[in-house]
Amino acid sequence: MTAYLEPTQASGRGFFMRGISGPVVMLNLLRYREVADYSASPELGPPAPISGEEAYRLYMEHTLPHLERSGGKLLFFGRGGAFLIGPANERWDAAMLVEQSSTEAFMAFTSDQAYLAGIGHRTAALEDSRLLPLEPWSRIALRR
């Protein structure tokens, strides 16, 4: 099974090619590891093993001040479960919506060194993830 934890060059290029102007909302789907894996960032690891969910909580505690300073905001963060419509064998433990004022603000946030100092908690926490950039409709035509 392929895990998706970081964007690829192609997906990053595609994100910029969309030409989103104005706010962008990131839909995050998160699948936690049973036990967090701090092998890539041992300096961040707690003294005793913790769950992936607990490691993600540490990531969020670190990240929220940086997100807010960048002009972003957490719109929603909630526990997942079984799909109402979707594959029965697919599991997402949590979903999150994060808004940034622009793609440029999002990129500045994700490249900020102070933010990146805690990214190891995210890597330790997640078994798999999805990130879908969403843009608001500028006009919606409703027909009767």
Side-chain angles (χ1 to χ4, degrees), residues 2-48:
T2 302
Y4 296 91
L5 300 174
E6 300 292 333
T8 64
Q9 281 188 342
S11 67
R13 189 172 28 260
F15 174 57
F16 280 111
M17 297 295 288
R18 284 179 64 179
I20 299 171
S21 63
V24 60
V25 173
M26 296 293 188
L27 168 62
N28 295 256
L29 296 178
L30 310 168
R31 184 176 306 135
Y32 302 128
R33 297 176 193 271
E34 189 172 321
V35 176
D37 177 5
Y38 278 96
S39 60
S41 301
E43 72 283 1
L44 293 177

Side-chain angles (χ1 to χ4, degrees), residues 17-102:
M17 297 295 288
R18 284 179 64 179
I20 299 171
S21 63
V24 60
V25 173
M26 296 293 188
L27 168 62
N28 295 256
L29 296 178
L30 310 168
R31 184 176 306 135
Y32 302 128
R33 297 176 193 271
E34 189 172 321
V35 176
D37 177 5
Y38 278 96
S39 60
S41 301
E43 72 283 1
L44 293 177
I50 61 174
S51 70
E53 184 175 2
E54 291 169 305
Y56 203 82
R57 193 172 302 118
L58 293 173
Y59 167 73
M60 291 301 292
E61 288 172 6
H62 170 81
T63 298
L64 284 175
H66 301 290
L67 177 68
E68 291 166 359
R69 237 184 332 277
S70 75
K73 57 185 166 187
L74 179 64
L75 300 177
F76 176 84
F77 186 40
R79 188 174 313 276
F83 279 107
L84 183 58
I85 299 175
N89 63 342
E90 193 172 300
R91 174 188 113 242
W92 296 106
D93 298 315
M96 182 169 54
L97 293 169
V98 176
E99 182 180 58
Q100 273 289 356
S101 60
S102 66

Side-chain angles (χ1 to χ4, degrees), residues 7 15-16 26 59 66-67 70 100 103-113 115-116 119 131:
F15 174 57
F16 280 111
M26 296 293 188
Y59 167 73
H66 301 290
L67 177 68
S70 75
Q100 273 289 356
T103 56
E104 295 79 14
F106 172 73
M107 293 309 297
F109 162 71
T110 60
S111 60
D112 176 56
Q113 291 304 306
Y115 158 70
L116 290 172
I119 196 88
L131 182 62

